[in-house]
């Protein structure tokens, strides 16, 4: 087991190198000169531009730039961005916000997705099931930027139940509305996956046997139907965590959440290679670790799966 | 353990009052084609401590009746008439709460398939524990171990901590029996409790079940398709056919003097009771035996298949590139005479199917040779292999899985002809019609699809397809195992007829010795990858040399029953 985890962690190294190289190259290949873009309509002297270029190593060829970036990374010196702020400090500021947002969204989609999915699955073909299925289809069909604005307008502006935007006031309660918007799309998938899985497991032989043993209905549902139905759902939830972190760009934009998505968007617009790559690297790490956790959780949920060594 | 031996049971039921009485029971299913009456006017009684078997083919309503008695009909089924009296109380429409009280404590169940009836994600011990707890019994580790060890699982403390996938089929069935009997119910419903197991294991499990239930004074409702097994294990037999009870009575009486035509047919065709090779093909067998006499000539002239020191080794992965060798087939040598039937028998895991796959060139042998008509098949070029496939055809076990559901029957049978570019469209259609005649299917079958046919009809289609290329050898891998006894008898007769008409050679892979008796001229007994005994069917059955073969033969249900000669 330990060996399995170690091996998986070692796999992070090539994944990490590959993604950073790719992202770095894509930022490098963006058209336009990032230094000139900084100054807009009033270009500074050539000497200033040359100095800035040298400061950010933009005068070096690609491989040298990338090599310097890696070297800095391993000495825990992420450097400064174009506004002179240390990148490490920026990461330390934006990541907790996005992690809060993503975790809150994850909890919302797990609780509601699994809850509604279970009830719908147990009442297959009844009114509740049909309603929930239809509603989830609608949610899947509408893009998140529409859903986000609708939620903001209804709950934030008309009803006034929540602050329409987050701004600098970041807390679990202010993030509730954006987390809900973020959760909605995956929620529909979790619901459908749970429902399908519950329907499949409800007719399993061991469920009938469990009933024949004299177990009460709630016990059969919880210990035998729901427990077994969680196997695919947990896999999906874990995999969606990475998506929630990275996919928060639109949601963070709508609700003005000072998180990773917003920062990443700005950095891409400014062609700030080091900032983009730093953010993406952390996202890659999150993704890989989330997947590892899913694998471990999977083995815990399904004892037939054992990772040897 | 007849009813008269048990005077008073623990709950004080007088011996003359039945524990379970099924009265004019009718069960209806709502299907997409409207209502289907699965059971009509079913009527029988079980006395306390008595064992009653319901016998019938699949779809006869025997399992449905039993499930109704424990309130576990599928969602679309309901009791539409009659009564189910448990100790005088009608439970046919009892509320779910009452059924939950009764299940486990009063009515236990041992289900059919040990592979799918234990929840894979819970430890065995936990699955016993929740049963004990739900029925208000002590459920400590000692209690769990006691329940498991009583069901014949040694080392119960350790076993309780294992998961179902770490158990063999027989052990799982023991665990299920342990669960079914853990709360000492007064009635145990055993739905084909051993049909998924090998014969030797089957016998042990049934012996154990019988011992436990007679000790506890439990009445047993045994559901089975095997008349021999029913007669051997039950005091009373109830025969069901198309949802109705056609005959019931004391086991031996019913077996020796069946009244209803269906029961008569069932007794005649029960493979476990038949004792002779099907007659048509016997003549061929005699010829073959004559040929066997000058052994040297036979080797060169008439051994269509020669298997020489065949080995198949699989590498079992153990992680990190390490692996250990597992010999599925280990040094098997035998010959198959042209025009005869050679059966390979053995339990699951004995390597018999692997031999079949290698003969069909679907698996490569690790070592050894397969000579077909004297030619080493491993040296065949792709084009020669193509021709080889034309001469050696398979029939597989599962007629549901081996026919393409998207192909109609005509296309299914015609496909091999098309692939091998034989004839034109008209001649191929003529050939398909002939083949359907040969397997006794109406020509109208051509336009139908596999899901519209019964299991027996599908297997006939599979046979027709195998015959399409006029093969010399047909490999039947458990070809009749999935079929009901009557259908099985028909298919075996068909195979025997075809053999005598077309001079076919069969290599018959089966776990069912009763079937071997009916179809084979020669028997190869396999155990753990090795050939332990070979010989003519009569020799092997009359005087088995190996202990293992004797164990297999003894395990055939009903083998020891005495039947009047005109029936047997």
């Amino acid at each position: 087991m330990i060996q399995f985890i170690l091996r998986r962690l070692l796999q992070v190294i090539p994944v990490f190198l590959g993604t950073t190289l790719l992202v770095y190259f894509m930022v490098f290949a963006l058209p336009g000169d990032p230094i000139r873009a900084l100054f807009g309509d009033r270009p500074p002297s050539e000497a200033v531009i040359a100095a800035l270029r040298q400061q950010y190593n933009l005068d070096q060829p690609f491989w040298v730039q990338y090599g310097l970036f890696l070297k800095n990374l391993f000495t825990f010196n992420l450097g400064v961005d174009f506004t002179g702020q240390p990148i490490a400090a920026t990461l330390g500021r934006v990541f907790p916000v996005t992690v809060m947002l993503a975790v809150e969204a994850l909890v919302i989609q797990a609780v509601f997705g699994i809850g509604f999915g279970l009830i719908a699955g147990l009442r297959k073909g009844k009114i509740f099931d049909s309603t929930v299925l239809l509603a989830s289809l609608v949610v899947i069909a509408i893009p998140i930027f529409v859903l986000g604005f609708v939620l903001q307008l209804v709950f934030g502006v008309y009803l006034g139940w929540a602050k329409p935007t987050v701004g600098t006031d970041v807390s679990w309660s202010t993030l509730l509305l954006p987390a809900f918007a973020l959760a909605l799309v995956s929620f529909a998938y979790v619901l459908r996956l749970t429902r399908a899985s519950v329907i499949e497991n409800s007719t399993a032989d061991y469920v009938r046997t469990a009933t024949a043993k004299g177990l009460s209905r709630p016990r059969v549902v919880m210990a035998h139907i729901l427990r077994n139905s969680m196997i695919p759902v947990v896999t999906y939830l874990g995999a969606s965590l990475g998506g929630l972190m990275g996919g928060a760009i639109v949601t963070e934009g709508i609700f003005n959440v000072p998180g990773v998505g917003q920062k990443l968007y700005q950095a891409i617009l400014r062609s700030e290679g080091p900032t983009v790559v730093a953010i993406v690297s952390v996202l890659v790490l999150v993704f890989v670790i989330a997947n590892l956790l899913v694998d471990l959780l999977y083995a815990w949920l399904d004892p037939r799966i054992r990772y040897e060594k | 353990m007849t009813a008269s031996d048990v005077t008073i049971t623990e709950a004080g039921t007088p011996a003359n009052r039945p524990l379970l009485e099924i009265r004019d029971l009718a069960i209806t299913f709502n299907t997409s084609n409207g209502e289907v009456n699965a059971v009509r006017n079913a009527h029988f009684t079980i006395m306390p401590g008595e064992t009653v078997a319901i016998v019938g083919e699949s779809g006869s309503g025997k399992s449905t009746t039993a499930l109704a008695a424990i309130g576990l009909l599928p969602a679309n089924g309901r009791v539409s008439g009659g009564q189910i009296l448990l100790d005088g109380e009608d439970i046919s429409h009892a509320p779910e709460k009452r059924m939950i009280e009764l299940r486990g404590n009063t009515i236990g169940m041992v289900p059919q398939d040990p592979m799918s009836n234990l929840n894979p994600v819970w430890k065995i011990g936990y699955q016993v524990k929740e049963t004990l707890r739900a029925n208000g019994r002590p459920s400590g580790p000692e209690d769990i171990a006691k329940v498991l060890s009583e069901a014949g699982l040694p080392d119960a403390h350790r076993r309780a901590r294992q998961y179902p996938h770490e158990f063999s089929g027989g052990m799982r069935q023991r665990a299920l029996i342990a669960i079914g009997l853990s709360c000492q119910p007064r009635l145990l419903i055993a739905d084909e409790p051993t049909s998924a197991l090998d014969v030797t294991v089957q016998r042990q499990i049934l012996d154990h079940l019988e011992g436990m239930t007679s000790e506890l004074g439990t009445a047993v409702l045994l559901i089975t398709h095997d008349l021999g097994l029913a007669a051997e294990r039950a005091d009373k037999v109830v025969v069901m056919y198309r949802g109705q009870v056609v005959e019931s009575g004391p086991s031996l009486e019913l077996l020796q003097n069946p009244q209803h035509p269906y029961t008569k047919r069932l007794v005649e065709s029960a493979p476990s009771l038949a004792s002779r090779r099907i007659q048509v093909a016997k003549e061929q067998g005699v010829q073959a035996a004559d040929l066997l006499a000058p052994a040297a000539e036979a080797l060169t002239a008439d051994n269509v298949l020669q298997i020489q020191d065949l080995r198949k080794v699989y590498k079992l992965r153990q992680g990190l590139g390490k692996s250990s060798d597992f010999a599925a087939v280990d040094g098997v040598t035998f010959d198959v005479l042209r025009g005869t039937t050679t059966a390979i028998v053995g339990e699951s895991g004995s390597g018999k199917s692997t031999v079949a796959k290698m003969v069909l060139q679907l698996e490569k042998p690790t070592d050894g040779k397969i000579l077909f008509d004297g030619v080493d098949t491993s040296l065949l070029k792709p084009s020669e292999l193509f021709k080889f496939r034309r001469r050696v055809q398979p029939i597989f076990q599962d007629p549901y899985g081996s026919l393409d559901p998207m192909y109609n029957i005509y296309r299914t049978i015609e496909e091999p002809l098309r692939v091998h570019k034989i004839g034109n469209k008209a001649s191929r259609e003529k050939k398909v019609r002939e083949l359907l005649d040969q397997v006794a299917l109406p020509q109208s079958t051509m336009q139908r699809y596999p899901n519209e046919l019964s299991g027996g009809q599908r297997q006939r289609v599979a046979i027709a397809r195998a015959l399409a290329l006029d093969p010399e050898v047909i490999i039947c891998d458990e070809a009749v195992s999935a079929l009901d006894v009557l259908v099985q008898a028909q298919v075996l007769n068909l195979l025997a007829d075809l053999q005598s008409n077309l001079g076919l050679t069969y290599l018959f892979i089966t776990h069912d010795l009763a079937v071997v008796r009916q179809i084979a001229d020669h028997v190869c007994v396999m155990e753990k990858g090795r050939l332990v005994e070979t010989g003519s069917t009569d020799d092997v059955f009359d005087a088995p040399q190996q202990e293992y073969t004797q164990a297999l033969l003894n395990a055939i249900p009903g083998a020891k029953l005495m039947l009047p000669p005109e029936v047997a």
Side-chain angles (χ1 to χ4, degrees):
Chain A
M1 192 64 168
I2 305 283
Q3 280 195 36
F4 169 76
I5 297 172
L6 277 180
R7 204 177 57 202
R8 284 292 299 266
L9 286 176
L10 283 178
Q11 284 172 3
V12 174
I13 297 170
V15 171
F16 187 80
L17 287 176
T19 42
T20 49
L21 180 65
L22 201 65
V23 173
Y24 210 96
F25 176 75
M26 287 194 284
V27 177
F28 179 85
L30 279 179
D33 182 334
I35 299 296
R36 280 185 199 282
L38 273 180
F39 294 91
D41 290 337
R42 289 186 296 124
S45 67
E46 286 302 317
V48 172
I49 288 182
L52 280 169
R53 282 219 172 114
Q54 205 180 359
Q55 188 190 336
Y56 294 103
N57 301 317
L58 293 174
D59 52 347
Q60 304 286 342
F62 172 73
W63 287 107
V64 177
Q65 280 191 40
Y66 180 68
L68 285 170
F69 164 77
L70 278 187
K71 187 189 133 206
N72 286 337
L73 195 69
F74 287 116
T75 52
F76 297 102
N77 170 22
L78 294 173
V80 294
D81 63 15
F82 289 167
T83 56
Q85 302 219 36
I87 293 175
T90 311
L91 288 185
R93 203 174 60 245
V94 298
F95 259 97
V97 177
T98 297
V99 167
M100 273 172 82
L101 182 65
V103 167
E104 206 169 339
L106 191 72
V107 171
I108 291 171
Q109 73 181 34
V111 170
F112 287 92
I114 294 171
F116 284 125
L118 175 66
I119 299 171
L122 292 175
R123 301 190 186 166
K124 184 190 166 203
K126 304 270 169 64
I127 290 183
F128 181 88
D129 181 36
S130 320
T131 316
V132 158
L133 269 189
L134 190 69
S136 67
L137 192 67
V138 171
V139 169
I140 290 174
I142 302 177
I144 188 164
F145 54 84
V146 177
L147 278 174
F149 281 122
V150 169
L151 287 176
Q152 191 179 34
L153 201 64
V154 173
F155 294 101
V157 180
Y158 294 157
L159 294 171
W161 290 359
K163 283 179 68 178
T165 57
V166 176
T168 51
D169 177 20
V170 176
S171 73
W172 292 108
S173 61
T174 53
L175 284 176
L176 191 61
L177 196 57
F180 207 82
L182 189 58
L184 264 180
V185 175
S186 297
F187 153 79
Y189 286 110
V190 173
L191 187 154
R192 284 168 167 251
L193 200 58
T194 309
R195 176 184 175 272
S197 200
V198 164
I199 289 172
E200 192 191 320
N201 282 310
S202 296
T203 55
D205 284 348
Y206 55 78
V207 170
R208 198 183 69 187
T209 303
T211 313
K213 295 196 297 196
L215 303 189
S216 66
R217 182 68 184 161
R219 182 96 204 117
V220 173
V221 169
M222 296 311 285
H224 293 278
I225 297 178
L226 185 60
R227 172 68 169 71
N228 290 55
S229 303
M230 281 301 92
I231 296 168
V233 177
V234 164
T235 317
Y236 178 78
L237 280 178
S240 78
L241 183 66
L244 288 176
M245 299 269 310
I249 297 179
V250 178
T251 317
E252 289 185 358
I254 296 171
F255 293 93
N256 191 25
V257 179
V260 171
Q262 213 177 42
K263 192 75 210 163
L264 185 63
Y265 184 62
Q266 287 167 6
I268 292 170
L269 285 185
R270 288 184 197 152
S271 299
E272 275 184 47
T275 313
V276 174
V277 179
I279 291 177
V280 171
S281 308
V282 180
L283 284 178
V284 167
L285 277 181
V286 170
F287 216 90
V288 171
I289 291 170
N291 272 310
L292 177 61
L293 287 179
V294 167
D295 281 347
L296 297 179
L297 206 56
Y298 198 70
W300 178 73
L301 279 171
D302 190 345
R304 284 166 295 183
I305 294 165
R306 282 285 171 259
Y307 303 111
E308 292 173 26
K309 306 261 171 94
Chain B
M1 48 167 200
T2 56
S4 56
D5 295 335
V6 186
T7 45
I8 298 282
T9 63
E10 44 179 308
T13 311
N16 54 3
R17 182 156 105 194
L19 175 64
L20 183 78
E21 185 176 0
I22 304 283
R23 246 189 225 168
D24 301 325
L25 186 71
I27 296 168
T28 308
F29 282 94
N30 280 320
T31 68
S32 50
N33 298 323
E35 295 208 328
V36 176
N37 295 316
V39 175
R40 282 163 297 159
N41 301 322
H43 206 108
F44 62 91
T45 56
I46 303 176
M47 301 305 285
E50 194 182 35
T51 298
V52 173
I54 310 184
V55 184
E57 56 195 18
S58 46
S60 63
K62 57 188 195 304
S63 287
T64 308
T65 307
L67 287 176
I70 189 169
L72 285 177
L73 285 176
N76 61 341
R78 66 190 160 83
V79 174
S80 52
Q83 287 177 311
I84 301 168
L85 297 171
L86 182 77
D87 225 356
E89 174 193 355
D90 183 8
I91 57 167
S92 60
H93 294 92
E96 187 60 17
K97 193 160 162 280
R98 176 68 186 139
M99 289 316 297
I100 288 171
E101 279 168 26
L102 289 174
R103 288 182 201 132
N105 263 328
T106 311
I107 312 175
M109 187 171 96
V110 177
Q112 176 169 15
D113 182 359
M115 294 302 164
S116 64
N117 275 290
L118 287 164
N119 189 332
V121 309
W122 295 113
K123 288 176 182 163
I124 298 290
Y126 182 83
Q127 302 194 42
V128 176
K129 185 191 172 88
E130 64 174 3
T131 314
L132 292 170
R133 210 167 47 193
N135 292 293
R137 285 169 188 267
S139 57
E142 287 305 318
D143 303 298
I144 295 168
K146 183 164 168 273
V147 165
L148 287 175
S149 59
E150 275 171 4
L153 279 172
D155 204 1
H157 277 284
R158 190 171 63 82
R159 292 291 180 205
R161 287 194 300 272
Q162 287 185 309
Y163 287 100
H165 69 270
E166 296 167 273
F167 274 35
S168 69
M171 283 161 63
R172 288 185 212 201
Q173 196 56 287
R174 282 176 195 273
L176 283 164
I177 289 174
I179 289 170
L181 287 172
S182 62
C183 303
Q184 292 162 16
R186 294 168 55 210
L187 173 66
L188 185 76
I189 295 173
D191 187 359
E192 305 259 13
T194 55
S195 63
L197 302 173
D198 284 325
V199 270
T200 47
V201 185
Q202 200 172 28
R203 183 157 203 96
Q204 290 165 13
I205 298 270
L206 286 170
D207 285 346
H208 199 88
L209 188 66
E210 197 173 309
M212 280 182 85
T213 49
S214 66
E215 198 175 300
L216 294 168
T218 313
V220 179
L221 178 57
L222 179 69
I223 316 294
T224 178
H225 64 276
D226 190 333
L227 192 59
L229 188 145
E232 193 178 61
R233 302 287 171 176
D235 307 313
K236 240 166 43 188
V237 171
V238 176
V239 180
M240 285 190 78
Y241 179 61
R242 297 197 176 174
Q244 281 176 306
V245 173
V246 293
E247 193 164 357
S248 65
S251 313
L252 215 56
E253 209 172 285
L254 187 131
L255 210 60
Q256 286 171 341
N257 193 13
Q259 297 300 315
H260 192 274
Y262 176 74
T263 320
K264 282 183 185 158
R265 276 167 65 206
L266 209 56
V267 171
E268 278 161 19
S269 56
S272 52
L273 303 170
S275 57
R276 282 195 305 266
R277 173 85 157 83
I278 294 171
Q279 215 48 53
V280 224
K282 186 73 178 175
E283 297 149 19
Q284 291 279 332
V286 170
Q287 279 179 22
D290 292 343
L291 287 167
L292 193 64
E297 282 174 44
L299 258 177
T300 48
D302 280 281
N303 281 328
V304 63
L305 274 173
Q306 289 160 275
I307 314 292
Q308 294 174 353
D309 202 22
L310 198 62
R311 272 169 63 80
K312 177 73 191 179
V313 178
Y314 288 106
K315 295 221 178 295
L316 296 182
R317 280 187 59 188
Q318 301 202 313
L320 274 187
K322 270 187 266 175
S323 65
S324 66
D325 285 351
F326 168 72
V329 176
D330 199 0
V332 167
T333 302
F334 65 93
D335 296 333
V336 179
L337 282 169
R338 192 181 296 280
T340 67
T341 301
T342 301
I344 307 181
V345 287
E347 304 190 348
S348 47
S350 59
K352 57 190 191 305
S353 282
T354 312
V355 171
K357 281 185 199 150
M358 288 192 283
V359 173
L360 282 165
Q361 305 294 312
L362 298 174
E363 290 264 7
K364 268 202 178 335
T366 313
D367 220 342
K369 275 185 193 162
I370 299 165
L371 301 183
F372 177 70
D373 249 357
V375 180
D376 186 347
T377 51
S378 66
L379 304 175
L380 293 177
K381 294 190 206 93
S383 62
E384 290 167 336
L385 193 62
F386 191 65
K387 284 187 194 132
F388 164 83
R389 296 208 188 284
R390 189 174 159 178
R391 298 169 66 189
V392 180
Q393 283 285 312
I395 301 172
F396 291 110
Q397 172 171 15
D398 181 7
Y400 296 83
S402 60
L403 298 180
D404 189 329
M406 295 302 175
Y407 277 29
N408 67 19
I409 301 310
Y410 172 73
R411 223 178 135 196
T412 300
I413 301 175
E414 186 234 24
E415 189 186 24
L417 295 168
R418 199 157 21 91
V419 168
H420 285 266
K421 300 194 177 65
I422 294 168
N424 55 27
K425 206 161 177 298
S427 74
R428 286 204 291 262
E429 188 176 329
K430 188 163 155 275
K431 177 80 182 174
V432 172
R433 286 182 193 281
E434 277 173 28
L435 287 165
L436 286 172
D437 279 345
Q438 277 179 341
V439 297
L441 281 174
Q443 296 194 349
S444 60
T445 316
M446 288 202 323
Q447 302 312 320
R448 299 173 73 183
Y449 285 84
N451 64 348
E452 300 166 36
L453 302 179
S454 71
Q457 287 174 318
R458 285 184 220 205
Q459 204 57 301
R460 283 168 195 269
V461 171
I463 293 170
R465 180 181 60 179
L467 290 175
L469 294 168
D470 299 321
E472 291 155 51
V473 177
I474 294 187
I475 318 274
C476 306
D477 191 354
E478 302 276 10
V480 294
S481 308
L483 305 175
D484 285 319
V485 270
L486 283 181
V487 183
Q488 192 178 62
Q490 288 165 5
V491 171
L492 287 176
N493 274 313
L494 171 68
L495 285 172
D497 283 343
L498 290 170
Q499 182 167 50
S500 75
N501 293 339
L502 306 172
L504 294 169
T505 307
Y506 293 140
L507 182 59
F508 217 89
I509 317 292
T510 182
H511 68 279
D512 192 341
L513 276 158
V515 168
V516 172
R517 184 66 160 171
Q518 286 173 284
I519 188 95
D521 304 299
H522 298 275
V523 184
C524 303
V525 182
M526 282 188 74
E527 184 193 14
K528 291 176 189 158
R530 293 179 170 278
L531 209 58
V532 292
E533 185 160 359
T534 57
S536 78
T537 308
D538 289 339
D539 290 350
V540 171
F541 272 74
D542 297 342
Q545 300 300 309
Q546 299 289 323
E547 217 173 285
Y548 179 72
T549 315
Q550 284 164 10
L552 276 179
L553 286 171
N554 286 334
I556 301 177
K560 295 191 199 101
L561 287 172
M562 294 297 288
L563 286 184
E566 71 271 18
V567 180

